[in-house]
Amino acid sequence: MQRNGIFTHAKNLFWLFSDNCDLHFKVSRDRYSGYPLTIEGFAYLWAGARATHGVTQGRVCFEMKINEEIPVKHLPSSEPDPHVVRIGWSLNHCGTQLGEEPFSFGYGGTGKKSSDCKFADFGEKFGENDVIGCYIDFDSGDEVEMGYTKNGVWLGVAFRTTKEALAGRALFPHVLVKNCAVEFNFGQKREPYFPPPEGYTYIHNLSMEDKIRGTKGPASKSECEILMMVGLPACGKTTWAIKHAETNPEKKYNILGTNAIMDKMKVMGLRRQRNYAGRWDILIQQATQCLNRLIEIAARKRRNYILDQTNVYGSARRRKMRPFEGFQRKAIVICPTDEDLKERTLKQTNEQGKDVPDHAVLEMKANFTVPEPCDFLEAVTFIELQRDEAEKLLKQYNEEGRKAGPPPEKRFDNRQTGFRGRGGGSFQRYDNRDGSRGGYQNRSGDGGSGYRGGYSRGSYNQNRWSNSYRDGGSDSRGGYNRNQQSGGSYNRPAPYKGGYNQVLNRTFKIKNKTHKKTFSHMHFKCLKT
């Protein structure tokens, strides 16, 4: 069978696994190339993908070519290594951040190799138009060796592990990219980019008996599950989500939360708050925008998700769950004792700094409602305090939050005037809409982006990549088509032919004055809670 000049055999089909990649990594229609989303804050993010099959024996190889370093002129000039690819092997249950956990082995374009987040010099740097060959050897006694070539030149063995440590588990081809479009030769091409060393076989050409299939995603939407975390900041939501995903690897949960986004912004394995030289508040805001877009994409993909946000407002829970109609929708309530919450909050502040201001937490307490099974929630599970005890504690929190609120005439309302002129009503809602509407709502008329409208604030307007996002989304020629306009005049077609279609229209207006209180609210809305 021939497809786009590539010869394949139905019994040996092998490709990048669209169910086993980051939501912002687009696998092209031919399944042998891909690229990440690069607009807005996505340009800071790594995006990874793993192949459909792995191996446990023999001498096996594949090739990867960097077709293009996608322009990201909106990144600051201080951003380190805006175009990088990391390539290698990992186990089926590993995350997409190649080289940052055990049994995940990656060689990067910065001339570094990494495994278990331990980095060391290896080989040499590589970039656009370079071809990296990846070789794994199970026939070297008790050890398994992983080596690389660059443009046909042998760089040496980068990693060794033991067969005993692997315990019969397969290693899968894996790629991690930042702002680069890549293409693979698993052996489906008529001719390789460079001939492999003697004795190595392209993984595509192995018999199906010699390849191990990775975990398949849910076959239908009704088999998909979304778990919505519900709880105050620092109560333990992220800890529970990570542990639950690790103890249920067959589910392949995608954790959707600002904390997970920040993990994909690492530099040399370090989180940005420890080494980021730019504006931290702006980076958090961009991470929140990325999260909102990922939630939109997630609702159209057959996967399992954990929505790791506070979700204490009943109306926000309904709005966030509505796009996931047809999924198994469940709420996971984390409500520790008040003493435990204070202890965890103090620990998080000492370790990570204080992200959520006290007045915002009090507002959440004032408005925290217990979720009930309903038309958009099939089940509600309480992890620590059970329902009766949790309801008693939440009544105390509701009262505490309302008493701590400012008098009605002093309540801030996100308006240009800053405060309400008349009293009445309950404690001003901080509007913790950290979901698909973009979070922060500016009632002065500049904000108010919605789930269906993308992120729109001030005069900023961008065609949503998710509008054209499809599993096999490319034109009839599989061509790369990128037009980027800035100020209505810049038009740049890109040469890549790998199925990339991303249109970016931007118009910027800079306001000379920003209300201090408004910025405070905007900043909090971008924080991971």
Side-chain angles (χ1 to χ4, degrees), residues 63 131 135 149-153 191-196 202:
E63 295 175 296
V131 175
Y135 304 88
T149 60
K150 175 185 174 183
N151 300 327
V153 178
E191 296 292 337
Y193 292 112
F194 296 94
Y202 281 100

Side-chain angles (χ1 to χ4, degrees), residues 187-311:
Q188 80 281 359
K189 289 182 175 292
R190 179 181 295 176
E191 296 292 337
Y193 292 112
F194 296 94
E198 185 177 354
Y200 282 87
T201 302
Y202 281 100
I203 190 168
H204 177 87
N205 298 330
L206 297 175
S207 66
M208 292 305 294
E209 293 76 20
D210 292 330
K211 292 184 285 195
I212 308 299
R213 184 66 161 87
T215 303
K216 295 183 180 180
S220 64
K221 185 180 287 189
S222 62
E223 297 179 20
C224 299
E225 182 179 69
I226 179 167
L227 306 180
M228 171 180 277
M229 305 304 300
V230 179
L232 292 170
C235 70
K237 300 182 300 298
T238 299
T239 300
W240 185 91
I242 293 173
K243 184 176 180 180
H244 187 73
E246 289 176 348
T247 54
N248 296 274
E250 74 285 353
K251 291 276 192 177
K252 289 285 183 182
Y253 282 109
N254 284 237
I255 298 178
L256 302 174
T258 311
N259 200 52
I261 294 290
M262 297 307 297
D263 281 341
K264 296 186 182 300
M265 290 187 177
K266 289 180 178 179
V267 177
M268 291 291 291
L270 298 176
R271 284 177 63 92
R272 293 264 177 169
Q273 62 260 44
R274 297 180 184 175
N275 63 348
Y276 184 59
R279 287 281 300 278
W280 176 243
D281 53 344
I282 293 177
L283 192 67
I284 288 290
Q285 182 181 2
Q286 291 176 325
T288 303
Q289 294 173 23
C290 292
L291 175 59
N292 298 335
R293 286 179 177 270
L294 289 181
I295 292 174
E296 295 178 20
I297 297 170
R300 297 193 293 274
K301 302 282 286 184
R302 292 195 300 269
R303 299 190 186 186
N304 296 313
Y305 301 102
I306 300 177
L307 186 56
D308 182 21
Q309 297 174 294
T310 53
N311 301 313

Side-chain angles (χ1 to χ4, degrees), residues 16 25-26 28 32-38 47 64-71 82-85 127-130 175-184 193 480-482 494-502:
L16 288 177
F25 185 91
K26 179 68 169 63
S28 62
Y32 295 115
S33 56
Y35 55 88
L37 182 59
T38 60
M64 182 275 302
K65 181 181 180 182
I66 301 178
N67 279 329
E68 183 178 5
E69 295 179 347
I70 302 169
H83 298 96
V84 192
V85 174
E128 189 173 72
N129 294 321
D130 284 329
V175 67
L176 184 68
V177 304
K178 186 191 290 185
N179 305 318
C180 291
V182 295
E183 182 178 1
F184 286 85
Y193 292 112
Y480 177 101
N481 184 7
R482 177 188 175 96
Y496 174 52
K497 306 296 183 183
Y500 181 92
N501 188 354
Q502 184 169 308

Side-chain angles (χ1 to χ4, degrees), residues 86-89 98-99 104-108 111-116 118-124 126 132-137 140 143-150 153-162 171 200:
R86 200 179 294 166
I87 187 72
W89 308 82
L98 180 65
S104 182
F105 308 93
Y107 163 44
K112 301 283 185 181
K113 65 176 182 178
S114 64
S115 180
D116 198 15
K118 298 173 183 175
F119 290 78
D121 292 336
F122 174 78
E124 54 188 72
F126 61 87
I132 303 300
C134 303
Y135 304 88
I136 190 165
D137 182 2
S140 298
E143 288 190 325
V144 177
E145 297 181 343
M146 287 158 272
Y148 295 88
T149 60
K150 175 185 174 183
V153 178
W154 179 252
L155 298 177
V157 173
F159 305 102
R160 289 182 174 88
T161 187
T162 65
L171 285 168
Y200 282 87

